[in-house]
């Protein structure tokens, strides 16, 4: 006879969920509470030739494997190691064959943005991180585009070209390093879950800095698009007159599961 017992949290109560008579292969499904002591379980295991320590060891080993895989997924998809220093003269471009045809333009946009008058701005996130942005003023009182880059990007790499676009439209630009990126603090990317709260903090800062009459446009690409769209679901001030969201994703869960699947691991390990 093989019996499967379930411990329901009470030290003295087990539940019998399933039993099988191996001699005649008959199976019985039932549920019954048994009031037993831990010593009785051990004695039962000895009588049946079952070493409970092996059961415990197997469960712990399986748990360790699952946790190890989940931690590896976290390091790959969510974690951002901090660099000790950045080379201010280096030009960072996105990797991949799809981007190569655009590298010359992207490098030119970065150099042009660096040559413009600019001001570095810093705020504190809702959870105490230092966040960094670069402000380019088109003219005093001009509308400001508050811009957010994509997954594992930087403000300069992803948004320098947008500064020129803002100027052509008569707007100032504030490009932001999202948490975990470049000059902003943090080590964890949350696919918009925390980033949209940072967006709200930037909106508050811009209103304090430039006054209650300033007009704002929230702009984001990829994960930055998700950031501004999530922020749009909150109580934004009437100063926000527009939102530009380029190639965002449906939800944090969808994009996290997609990243996990591309890693070749079950998506539920990244988003149970």
């Amino acid at each position: 006879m093989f019996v499967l017992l379930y411990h329901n949290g009470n030290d003295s109560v087990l539940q019998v969920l399933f039993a099988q008579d191996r001699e005649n292969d008959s199976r019985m499904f039932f549920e019954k509470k048994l009031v037993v002591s831990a010593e009785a379980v051990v004695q039962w295991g000895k009588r049946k030739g079952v070493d409970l320590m092996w059961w415990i060891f197997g469960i712990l080993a399986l748990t360790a494997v699952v946790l190890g895989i989940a931690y590896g997924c976290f390091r790959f998809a969510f974690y951002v190691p901090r660099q000790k220093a950045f080379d201010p003269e280096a030009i960072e471009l996105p990797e991949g064959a799809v981007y190569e045809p655009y590298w010359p333009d992207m490098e030119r946009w970065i150099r042009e943005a660096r040559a413009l008058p600019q001001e570095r701005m810093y705020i504190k996130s809702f959870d105490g991180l230092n966040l960094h942005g670069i402000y380019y003023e088109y003219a005093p009182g001009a509308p400001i585009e508050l811009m957010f880059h994509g997954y594992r990007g930087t403000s300069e790499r992803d948004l320098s070209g947008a500064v020129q676009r803002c100027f052509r439209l008569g707007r100032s630009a504030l490009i932001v390093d999202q948490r975990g990126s470049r000059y902003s603090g943090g080590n964890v990317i949350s696919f918009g879950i925390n980033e949209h709260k940072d967006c709200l903090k930037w909106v508050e800062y811009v209103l304090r800095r430039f006054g209650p009459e300033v007009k704002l446009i929230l702009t984001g690409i990829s994960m930055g698009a998700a950031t501004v769209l999530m922020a749009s679901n909150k109580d934004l001030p009437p100063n926000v007159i527009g939102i530009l969201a380029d190639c965002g994703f449906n939800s944090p869960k969808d994009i996290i599961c997609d990243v996990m699947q591309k890693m070749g691991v079950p998506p539920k390990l990244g988003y149970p």
Side-chain angles (χ1 to χ4, degrees), residues 6-15 32-41:
Y6 169 71
H7 187 252
N8 70 351
N10 188 317
D11 289 339
S12 63
V13 177
L14 296 177
Q15 294 205 214
K32 182 178 181 181
K33 291 186 178 180
L34 299 178
V35 179
V36 295
S37 66
E39 180 63 26
V41 175

Side-chain angles (χ1 to χ4, degrees), residues 13 21 31 82 129 142 144 183 217 255:
V13 177
D21 187 337
E31 183 176 307
R82 301 306 299 167
L129 298 176
I144 299 173
Y183 296 107
I217 299 100
I255 191 64

Side-chain angles (χ1 to χ4, degrees), residues 122-125 128-132 177 179-180 183-186 202:
Y122 297 89
I123 66 168
K124 213 74 160 176
S125 72
L129 298 176
N130 291 317
L131 303 178
H132 165 264
D177 282 327
R179 55 175 56 218
Y183 296 107
S184 287
W202 278 109

Side-chain angles (χ1 to χ4, degrees), residues 10-203:
N10 188 317
D11 289 339
S12 63
V13 177
L14 296 177
Q15 294 205 214
V16 180
L17 300 180
F18 171 78
Q20 176 181 348
D21 187 337
R22 290 184 174 175
E23 292 183 358
N24 57 24
D25 199 36
S26 63
R27 300 185 179 186
M28 298 167 286
F29 292 85
F30 56 94
E31 183 176 307
K32 182 178 181 181
K33 291 186 178 180
L34 299 178
V35 179
V36 295
S37 66
E39 180 63 26
V41 175
V42 173
Q43 294 301 323
W44 175 85
K46 288 181 178 179
R47 291 197 305 272
K48 299 299 182 180
V50 178
D51 190 338
L52 295 182
M53 290 303 296
W54 281 108
W55 283 97
I56 295 172
F57 175 79
I59 293 172
L60 291 177
L62 179 61
T63 301
V65 170
V66 172
L67 290 177
I69 294 174
Y71 179 69
C73 295
F74 166 77
R75 296 281 299 193
F76 180 86
F78 300 88
Y79 183 75
V80 182
R82 301 306 299 167
Q83 299 182 23
K84 293 182 179 180
F86 300 101
D87 181 359
E89 300 300 322
I91 301 290
E92 182 182 356
L93 299 173
E95 298 179 355
V98 67
Y99 297 107
E100 287 186 17
Y102 307 101
W103 282 350
D105 287 332
M106 297 176 76
E107 181 174 351
R108 175 173 55 83
W109 294 334
I110 291 173
R111 295 192 184 280
E112 289 175 352
R114 287 181 178 180
L116 292 172
Q118 58 190 258
E119 178 184 351
R120 294 188 179 272
M121 296 181 172
Y122 297 89
I123 66 168
K124 213 74 160 176
S125 72
F126 73 96
D127 53 352
L129 298 176
N130 291 317
L131 303 178
H132 165 264
I134 308 176
Y135 175 66
Y136 302 88
E137 186 170 82
Y138 173 74
I144 299 173
E145 270 200 41
L146 177 56
M147 294 187 278
F148 298 85
H149 61 76
Y151 176 66
R152 294 195 182 277
T154 69
S155 60
E156 184 180 67
R157 189 196 77 176
D158 293 359
L159 301 170
S160 289
V163 175
Q164 300 287 351
R165 175 185 57 77
C166 286
F167 279 24
R168 289 195 298 270
L169 295 172
R171 302 171 184 165
S172 299
L174 173 53
I175 61 175
V176 169
D177 282 327
Q178 301 231 57
R179 55 175 56 218
S181 172
R182 199 69 170 176
Y183 296 107
S184 287
N187 294 97
V188 178
I189 299 170
S190 64
F191 294 88
I193 295 172
N194 288 326
E195 288 82 358
H196 86 275
K197 299 177 184 177
D198 299 336
C199 174
L200 298 176
K201 286 292 185 181
W202 278 109
V203 170

Side-chain angles (χ1 to χ4, degrees), residues 218-270:
L218 305 183
T219 299
I221 58 173
S222 188
M223 191 183 80
T227 297
V228 298
L229 288 175
M230 290 183 198
S232 73
N233 195 40
K234 306 299 180 180
D235 293 328
L236 292 172
N239 306 69
V240 178
I241 60 174
I243 294 176
L244 302 176
D246 181 7
C247 63
F249 44 78
N250 293 335
S251 70
K253 179 179 180 179
D254 288 344
I255 191 64
I256 290 170
C257 290
D258 182 65
V259 171
M260 294 298 102
Q261 190 170 19
K262 289 178 180 177
M263 291 172 58
V265 298
K268 287 189 177 297
L269 288 177

